[in-house]
Amino acid sequence: MTDLATRPAPPLLRRAAPALLGYAAVRALGVVALTLWSAARDKSALTLLSARWDALWYTRVAELGYGYEVRLPNGDVHSNLAFFPLLPWLERAVSAVTPLSYAHAGLAVGTLASLGAAWGIFAVVDLVYGRRAGVCAVLLWAVLPVGIVQSMAYTEALFTALAAWSLYAVLTGRWVTAGVLAALAGLTRPVGLAVVTAVWAAAITSYVRQRRHDPTTSPSPAGTPDPVPSFVRNRSPEGSGGTPWWPRALGMLLAPLGAAGYVLWVGERTGKGPLGYLDVQAGWRNGFDGGYAFARFVADKFTSFPSALAGVGLIAGVAAVVWLYVICVRQGQPLPLLVYAGVVTALALCASSYFGSKPRLLMPAFPLLLPLALALARAKTPRAAAVLGGVAAVSAAYGAFWLNGSGPP
């Protein structure tokens, strides 16, 4: 990373162009595959992308506001208060200034946000590991098996964009910007907690480090992830004095305002106090149980032979995620990335419901892809292109099959 401290910074968008063009090509392939598959089944790809499952709930919030709920025969209550407000706000704003419906406005927001997310991922990885690794990381994120969600009127792309740029702001010492983006991420999904935690962990650790040592001369102990890499510390306008305390404090203050504000508003609206949002989630049979329900779900797969294969696949998938995180730690990723990816992963794997959606819930944890991105970056270009092209084709076919199924992603 030493060359990053001295090389001139080119225009970021121009530098990111190969990653963004490659990302757009992968996503276009996925949409084309979905369109052809859906047409063969007399379904509308546009409807699948903009007006099914969670997308319908966000559209109802944009159109009617909060207060809509569905009471199921088993007594469960599905309330639209479970859905955070930033995407519906954007749908309403876009629909107000364009001829687009709320559903199509949501699709437009999701599409633009996915490009913003790809750009943010590139910015983070390029800053830490270089341009080639940044391009590989973006393309790996694009070819995830559930990558088609990045082209839907869902919140994953919007959240990932806000999270990635917040992490970039942390890594470049822009604490107030990081706090504002973290607050917006907290208005997008409950997992906004991961961004808040990353901002807080980096701010506290870097402040303690600055107080104890000269930030321009004191390296991290061997094997310890640096909260703010040396090339960022070396750019401090105060030189050996480091960054003043107040930008960090203001960033920390701003970061949780989005999530905390919405959760407290839900508690006030439901009359159940600060924990009212947890009751709303309970109505969806969703919560955090440390992974107990997911473990039982996996164990139940071994009651018969065909389903046992799925059980083996689930165990292998979880093991792969944990293995990637361990490698991230060993590679010494900056602390904000490790904290963010760790919290996203823990919340996804330890949620008590919607087991089929766990790959989608893991999608924002893009730092987990960095070990693979670094491996691809070291490979020769034809080999890396062949690997990514093959995986992109499989991902496109899987996404088309998945969205044409009966259950939500």
Side-chain angles (χ1 to χ4, degrees), residues 82-98:
F83 296 87
F84 278 50
L86 185 58
L87 178 58
W89 288 348
L90 293 174
E91 289 178 344
R92 187 177 297 176
V94 171
S95 184
V97 297
T98 68

Side-chain angles (χ1 to χ4, degrees), residues 356-385:
S357 297
K358 290 193 181 294
R360 171 172 65 88
L361 299 179
L362 284 166
M363 184 186 298
F366 68 88
L368 294 178
L369 298 173
L370 298 196
L372 302 177
L374 290 173
L376 276 177
R378 290 190 292 266
K380 294 182 178 180
T381 299
R383 177 177 297 180

Side-chain angles (χ1 to χ4, degrees), residues 273-318:
L275 301 181
Y277 183 77
L278 297 181
D279 290 335
V280 171
Q281 286 282 26
W284 287 79
R285 293 188 178 271
N286 199 15
F288 186 89
D289 64 356
Y292 174 73
F294 184 44
R296 289 190 58 185
F297 174 78
V298 174
D300 288 343
K301 295 295 182 181
F302 291 92
T303 57
S304 62
F305 172 71
S307 64
L309 297 178
V312 171
L314 289 170
I315 292 175
V318 173

Side-chain angles (χ1 to χ4, degrees), residues 26-171:
V26 173
R27 291 277 35 88
L29 176 64
V31 172
V32 169
L34 175 65
T35 301
L36 295 176
W37 197 304
S38 302
R41 295 171 59 89
D42 293 325
K43 292 185 178 181
S44 167
L46 182 61
T47 299
L48 292 175
L49 293 172
S50 64
R52 289 192 73 187
W53 304 304
D54 288 7
L56 288 174
W57 286 90
Y58 286 114
T59 298
R60 290 192 185 103
V61 173
E63 183 177 5
L64 304 173
Y66 285 104
Y68 176 83
E69 61 183 29
V70 175
R71 294 184 177 272
L72 303 183
N74 65 357
D76 290 346
V77 178
H78 288 185
S79 168
N80 65 359
L81 289 169
F83 296 87
F84 278 50
L86 185 58
L87 178 58
W89 288 348
L90 293 174
E91 289 178 344
R92 187 177 297 176
V94 171
S95 184
V97 297
T98 68
L100 296 176
S101 66
Y102 290 124
H104 294 165
L107 185 57
V109 169
T111 301
L112 292 175
S114 70
L115 291 171
W119 189 7
I121 292 170
F122 172 83
V124 169
V125 182
D126 177 42
L127 186 69
V128 179
Y129 294 115
R131 187 184 192 185
R132 187 175 175 88
V135 173
C136 291
V138 169
L139 294 179
L140 283 171
W141 192 67
V143 302
L144 288 172
V146 293
I148 191 65
V149 173
Q150 299 164 18
S151 300
M152 296 179 67
Y154 269 42
T155 56
E156 275 71 20
L158 178 60
F159 174 80
T160 305
L162 294 168
W165 284 109
S166 180
L167 292 170
Y168 179 80
V170 167
L171 293 174

